[in-house]
Amino acid sequence: NREQFEEATAVSEESLALMEGLAAADPKDMKALRNLAVCQQNHAGLLQAQGRSAEAGAALAGTIATTRRLVARDPSNAEWQGDLASALLSHASSLEDSGQVPEALEGAREALEIVGKLAAGDPTNTDRQVLLAATQSFVGSCHETLRDFAAAADSQRASLAIVQRLRELEPANAEWQRGLIAGHCNLSKV
């Protein structure tokens, strides 16, 4: 309903302004900065749901900038690295939706680099492995759209290999079985 979206947007904008004020009041307060990044990402999602892609993209760019500040303060913080990768991937998806595929690919590659390091640093963390597979698949999809089929196939193979390893760890996991099917479908398209 349009009225509900307008009300939610107004509340989100007010929350965002408050969080910006808190983060600016004490630039060393990492909790306030992270809360600002979360608020920016949530606001972007709300805008995206309303079809306001340009505004959502700007909000996601703000999320990325805020999260980069966090990561610069503590590059060893895996949670903040993951937040940055997530924001980059969300922004890349928004760019892809608006037809800016080369820019989407650039952001997705940066996310892939971050997620790859996180997954390599903790190979037993299945959430990171799933995110790595999804990011690889997204990169492959961008390559496919750009008609770079060799690169698309390489990315889809890498994604599929991750999902296959996950399925071997837990064969009864329905999510990973669906991921395996999707991986095969994605690879067969290129």
Side-chain angles (χ1 to χ4, degrees):
N1 172 317
R2 186 180 173 142
E3 275 183 19
Q4 289 174 324
F5 269 130
E6 288 174 1
E7 183 180 343
T9 302
V11 170
S12 178
E13 288 170 350
E14 186 177 332
S15 297
L16 189 56
L18 289 169
M19 286 310 310
E20 287 171 345
L22 285 173
D26 185 0
K28 293 181 181 183
D29 184 351
M30 295 298 98
K31 184 175 181 181
L33 199 57
R34 180 151 194 278
N35 288 340
L36 173 59
V38 169
C39 194
Q40 289 168 318
Q41 184 130 8
N42 291 342
H43 187 65
L46 181 60
L47 294 170
Q48 191 72 37
Q50 296 175 64
R52 296 164 63 180
S53 297
E55 293 170 89
L60 286 167
T63 304
I64 292 167
T66 301
T67 309
R68 285 189 196 284
R69 288 172 49 202
L70 283 168
V71 170
R73 296 268 178 144
D74 184 1
S76 67
N77 188 310
E79 184 176 6
W80 295 347
Q81 291 278 347
D83 289 348
L84 178 57
S86 176
L88 286 163
L89 202 53
S90 293
H91 191 238
S93 180
S94 177
L95 290 168
E96 182 193 39
D97 289 346
S98 66
Q100 299 174 54
V101 180
E103 295 85 354
L105 179 58
E106 183 180 324
R109 282 181 175 153
E110 185 178 353
L112 181 60
E113 182 179 333
I114 294 167
V115 173
K117 288 177 185 174
L118 291 173
D122 188 1
T124 62
N125 185 319
T126 55
D127 290 337
R128 288 187 182 154
Q129 298 299 319
V130 169
L131 182 58
L132 180 58
T135 306
Q136 280 283 12
S137 182
F138 183 83
V139 167
S141 178
C142 288
H143 280 300
E144 181 183 356
T145 301
L146 295 170
R147 305 189 61 75
D148 185 350
F149 299 116
D154 288 346
S155 291
Q156 296 300 354
R157 277 189 207 96
S159 176
L160 182 59
I162 295 163
V163 176
Q164 285 172 325
R165 282 194 306 272
L166 289 170
R167 185 172 179 275
E168 288 169 8
L169 290 173
E170 199 175 323
N173 186 310
E175 179 185 348
W176 295 341
Q177 289 175 3
R178 284 188 299 274
L180 189 59
I181 292 166
H184 281 288
C185 290
N186 290 339
L187 185 56
S188 71
K189 292 188 313 184
V190 295

